[in-house]
């Protein structure tokens, strides 16, 4: 496995591997089984003759002024071990000054899918995501790119960027990986206190119960669905709901009427300090 920090070396490597199909998995490190499963998905997509490229870069431009960029977990050695264990061919690990000129003046903004949900709570977040992902696409020139479905809105925004800007890249979603009790894996779970960790599976449990209610016709309107979710997920004293929505699965528009196969339940909840996100659609 190659580990490269600089753009000139990366370009050289990409040129030398130009005949092989490439698949990119961008990450911010602090890798857990959810990320590692994306490497498996990437390998499956590209086959043994292709290259799996991971990037580890804690992207400053997607953090807001009140979000603690410095506190974001950094654990490069164990991350590289994780990449190695899942057969990644190249890991690109740039520093911020390698990625951004101090006088940079161009960025990419998606204006529709990124405005609600996490986009409302985190202004500017998706501009940072789109810009860095576009740069990583240009730098690694992948045929395929894989992103986790846990960040459902991010996946939708990136698909839209790829479509609208004609990146010749197929975007694949990787299924959310969960702890045995259903909690979606996230680097933020490490910040939960013992009591919060015990209660945190209520998020996924509530999503599943509401999904069943929709499937069996007990909940039909968007407002009923959201009220039922709020009642369930907001139960622990320390759970503070950031947002909780039922949206159209593709447009992310709020739904007045929920049909059995057109929706996505999306939530962000402060569980004590950490803000946990999760989402669920109809059972296949
Ligand atoms: O999902 C993430 O970890 C980040 O938003 C991404 C896609 C790596 C861009 O920095």
């Amino acid at each position: 496995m190659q580990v490269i920090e600089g753009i000139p070396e990366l370009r050289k490597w990409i040129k030398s591997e130009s005949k092989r199909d490439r698949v990119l998995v961008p990450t911010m490190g602090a890798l857990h089984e959810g990320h590692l499963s994306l490497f498996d998905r990437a390998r499956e997509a590209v086959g043994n003759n292709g290259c799996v490229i991971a990037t580890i870069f804690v992207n400053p431009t997607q953090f807001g002024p009140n979000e603690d960029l410095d506190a974001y977990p950094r654990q490069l050695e164990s991350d590289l071990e994780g990449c190695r264990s899942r057969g990644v061919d190249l890991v690109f690990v740039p520093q911020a000054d390698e990625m951004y000129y101090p006088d940079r003046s161009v960025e990419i903004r998606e204006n529709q899918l990124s405005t609600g949900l996490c986009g409302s709570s985190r202004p500017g977040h998706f501009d940072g995501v789109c810009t860095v992902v576009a740069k990583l696409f240009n730098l690694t020139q992948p045929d395929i790119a894989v992103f986790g479905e846990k960040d459902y809105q991010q996946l939708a925004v990136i698909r839209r960027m790829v479509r609208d800007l004609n990146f010749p890249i197929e975007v694949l979603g990787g299924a959310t990986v969960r702890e045995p009790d259903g909690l979606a894996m996230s680097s933020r779970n490490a910040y939960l206190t013992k009591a919060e960790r015990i209660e945190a599976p209520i998020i996924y449990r509530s999503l599943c119960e509401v999904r069943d209610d929709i499937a069996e016709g007990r909940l039909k309107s968007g407002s009923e669905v959201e009220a039922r979710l709020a009642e369930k997920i907001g139960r622990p004293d320390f759970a503070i709901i950031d947002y909780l929505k039922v949206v159209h699965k593709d447009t992310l528009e709020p739904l007045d009427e929920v049909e059995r196969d057109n929706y996505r339940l999306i939530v962000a909840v402060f569980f004590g300090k950490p803000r946990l996100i999760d989402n669920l659609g109809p059972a296949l």
Side-chain angles (χ1 to χ4, degrees):
M1 185 178 83
Q2 285 271 327
V3 180
I4 291 180
E5 293 177 18
I7 289 176
E9 297 85 339
L10 175 65
R11 288 206 195 280
K12 226 189 230 164
W13 193 90
I14 296 293
K15 212 166 183 183
S16 72
E17 297 289 342
S18 64
K19 292 211 167 61
R20 294 164 76 193
D21 287 344
R22 283 186 295 275
V23 55
L24 172 68
V25 185
T27 80
M28 298 209 299
L31 303 182
H32 49 68
E33 190 55 38
H35 297 104
L36 303 185
S37 74
L38 300 181
F39 300 149
D40 297 343
R41 180 89 178 87
R43 174 61 65 197
E44 193 189 303
V46 86
N48 283 337
N49 293 330
C51 301
V52 174
I53 303 174
T55 60
I56 298 178
F57 177 57
V58 183
N59 173 35
T61 67
Q62 68 188 77
F63 286 78
N66 299 323
E67 297 173 351
D68 202 353
L69 168 67
D70 295 334
Y72 199 85
R74 286 158 173 90
Q75 45 176 64
L76 186 58
E77 280 317 309
S78 64
D79 285 349
L80 292 178
E81 205 34 61
C83 293
R84 209 168 276 123
S85 75
R86 302 304 252 261
V88 170
D89 296 292
L90 167 72
V91 192
F92 179 50
V93 200
Q95 294 296 319
D97 58 4
E98 188 73 11
M99 288 295 283
Y100 291 113
Y101 290 95
D103 62 346
R104 66 185 180 278
S105 54
V106 176
E107 63 176 9
I108 295 182
R109 172 168 304 159
E110 193 287 328
N111 280 312
Q112 201 166 44
L113 302 171
S114 58
T115 54
L117 307 171
C118 285
S120 306
S121 318
R122 306 181 68 189
H125 169 69
F126 286 113
D127 302 346
V129 170
C130 284
T131 304
V132 81
V133 169
K135 286 164 72 68
L136 293 170
F137 284 169
N138 284 334
L139 290 167
T140 60
Q141 298 175 24
D143 302 284
I144 301 171
V146 184
F147 296 86
E149 280 175 1
K150 186 168 85 74
D151 293 289
Y152 190 82
Q153 185 178 16
Q154 171 172 279
L155 179 58
V157 168
I158 289 168
R159 283 191 200 282
R160 178 63 61 89
M161 176 180 80
V162 163
R163 186 197 77 174
D164 285 3
L165 297 185
N166 305 100
F167 281 102
I169 297 171
E170 183 187 359
V171 175
L172 301 178
T176 302
V177 179
R178 298 182 181 281
E179 301 288 354
D181 60 12
L183 177 64
M185 286 199 183
S186 164
S187 44
R188 296 199 164 92
N189 295 350
Y191 301 122
L192 294 166
T193 63
K194 215 168 168 189
E196 289 158 3
R197 175 64 190 83
I198 289 170
E199 294 289 347
I202 198 170
I203 299 174
Y204 181 59
R205 218 170 35 241
S206 305
L207 289 169
C208 291
E209 287 168 9
V210 167
R211 173 176 70 179
D212 293 346
D213 285 342
I214 296 170
E216 286 159 31
R218 288 190 289 271
L219 291 174
K220 290 198 167 75
S221 77
S223 53
E224 277 175 337
V225 168
E226 290 172 6
R228 186 67 56 85
L229 262 181
E231 176 201 312
K232 287 174 185 285
I233 293 182
R235 222 163 264 164
D237 288 343
F238 44 73
I240 297 181
I241 292 163
D242 180 15
Y243 66 78
L244 173 163
K245 298 274 180 216
V246 56
V247 294
H248 187 277
K249 66 183 174 45
D250 301 321
T251 65
L252 308 188
E253 292 287 337
L255 283 176
D256 292 336
E257 290 304 316
V258 182
E259 288 162 25
R260 285 169 198 205
D261 58 359
N262 70 345
Y263 69 89
R264 199 84 189 177
L265 306 169
I266 304 199
V267 301
V269 190
F270 288 98
F271 240 70
K273 232 177 164 185
R275 178 176 172 279
L276 306 181
I277 59 170
D278 205 345
N279 67 85
L280 196 69
L284 293 176

